[in-house]
Amino acid sequence: MASILTNASALTALQSLSATNKNLSVTQARISTGMRVAEASDNAAYWSIATTMRSDNKANSVIQDALGLGAAKVDTAYTAMNSSLDVVDQIKQKVLLAKTSSDDNRAKIQTEIATLQAQLKDNIAGANYAGSNLLQTDSTDTANTKLTVMTSYTRDSSGKVSIGTIDIDFSKTRLIDSDAAGANTGMLDTEFTTAGAGAVTASILTLDVKATGLDGTDFDDMLKGVEDALKKMATGAAELGASKSRIDMQKDFVSKLSDSIDRGVGQLVDADMNKESTRLQALQVQQQLGIQALSIANGNAQSILSLFKG
């Protein structure tokens, strides 16, 4: 039935063209943004997951920065600890040499020891990074007893967030006690007393091999004090070395985890550009055909006029 009031063919063609234009708009938006889920209205579930994971990945970026800072602090302390170990070992050799030396030679040896003691203080004072010195800390400062390095940011299935850390106890790395009252609990400033005729009280930083009246027992006790310090320092170096290794491994893991999350988010929301470009071409053809179909449908209505021509 031909009607001048209702053009069913034109209505059908118009609906088809409108649907094509809508799909074309979506495809063009995907191509221009590179995303198939750019807003919650595109896919609420995927958009929500992607938004949460992006937020967590920003936290991982903070963790990476914290690990980098922590690694630098620990590496600085580790380097200074190893250097100090070498210096204390040299002091041990000088004390051993002084045991059987004359008073004149002991005075010369003490000059060398004093130089090594000054070197130790310089090494430790220089082991400062970003305001932290793990080798020179205050034993009476109960508010600061350890270095805490953030290592992870995790979210469980219920949404609860937890932060992982690596803690380095200052008491295990302290070479010099910075307590103003002179607590002297560090590995190098802890005092020991010799039991010989000299009966001196000293630490690695203050021992004096030219003191009056020193005998073999005094030197044996000095050597024992140096050996005790070396043993503690070796343990401290091992503590720092283990922490350094763990921080480095965690840095590598967090970096890979961050990349993995980025890939996972991409799988959810990124557009397949090959697919979308092919779809764009098909929709452009459909749009052209739809325009032609609408034009034909509108032309059919015009043919009714020929019925009234004489």
Side-chain angles (χ1 to χ4, degrees), residues 81-303:
M81 178 70 83
N82 282 332
S83 178
S84 298
L85 268 167
D86 291 338
V87 176
V88 174
D89 196 46
Q90 292 181 56
I91 290 176
K92 182 181 76 171
Q93 296 173 42
K94 301 301 180 184
V95 173
L96 182 60
L97 180 61
K99 180 177 180 179
T100 56
S101 297
S102 64
D103 290 343
D104 288 342
N105 286 335
R106 285 180 181 178
K108 296 175 183 177
I109 293 171
Q110 182 56 39
T111 300
E112 295 179 292
I113 290 176
T115 299
L116 293 172
Q117 290 168 333
Q119 182 63 42
L120 278 175
K121 293 176 182 178
D122 287 343
N123 286 351
I124 296 166
N128 189 302
Y129 189 94
S132 295
N133 190 329
L134 279 64
L135 307 185
Q136 186 168 336
T137 53
D138 188 345
S139 62
T140 63
D141 187 358
T142 56
N144 297 289
T145 61
K146 60 186 178 181
L147 172 69
T148 298
V149 180
M150 289 193 299
T151 59
S152 63
Y153 178 91
T154 57
R155 184 192 303 272
D156 63 19
S157 58
S158 66
K160 181 180 179 181
V161 170
S162 60
I163 306 298
T165 62
I166 292 175
D167 296 326
I168 301 174
D169 191 337
F170 290 155
S171 67
K172 296 180 180 179
T173 63
R174 184 181 297 120
L175 296 184
I176 295 178
D177 195 337
S178 60
D179 171 36
N184 297 337
T185 65
M187 301 173 198
L188 299 182
D189 59 9
T190 296
E191 295 183 334
F192 53 87
T193 301
T194 64
V200 297
T201 299
S203 68
I204 303 298
L205 297 177
T206 62
L207 62 82
D208 186 351
V209 298
K210 64 178 178 55
T212 304
L214 295 178
D215 60 16
T217 300
D218 289 313
F219 278 100
D220 288 343
D221 288 343
M222 284 185 186
L223 288 169
K224 181 180 182 302
V226 175
E227 288 288 358
D228 288 343
L230 282 170
K231 183 178 180 180
K232 292 176 182 178
M233 291 174 73
T235 301
E239 179 79 12
L240 290 170
S243 298
K244 179 178 180 297
S245 178
R246 183 180 172 194
I247 289 173
D248 288 343
M249 287 190 293
Q250 189 65 14
K251 281 176 61 181
D252 184 58
F253 169 73
V254 173
S255 177
K256 291 178 180 178
L257 177 63
S258 181
D259 290 344
S260 177
I261 291 175
D262 280 340
R263 289 194 298 270
V265 170
Q267 291 291 329
L268 291 178
V269 302
D270 287 357
D272 183 338
M273 300 304 286
N274 291 330
K275 178 180 178 181
E276 297 301 334
S277 63
T278 300
R279 180 176 174 81
L280 177 64
Q281 294 179 18
L283 287 170
Q284 287 173 337
V285 172
Q286 290 178 35
Q287 183 186 51
Q288 293 171 10
L289 292 174
I291 292 172
Q292 291 180 5
L294 181 60
S295 177
I296 293 171
N298 288 331
N300 289 337
Q302 296 294 324
S303 65

Side-chain angles (χ1 to χ4, degrees), residues 61-79:
S61 178
V62 174
I63 295 296
Q64 283 184 297
D65 292 340
L67 283 167
L69 180 60
K73 291 180 179 180
V74 173
D75 191 47
T76 299
Y78 180 70
T79 300

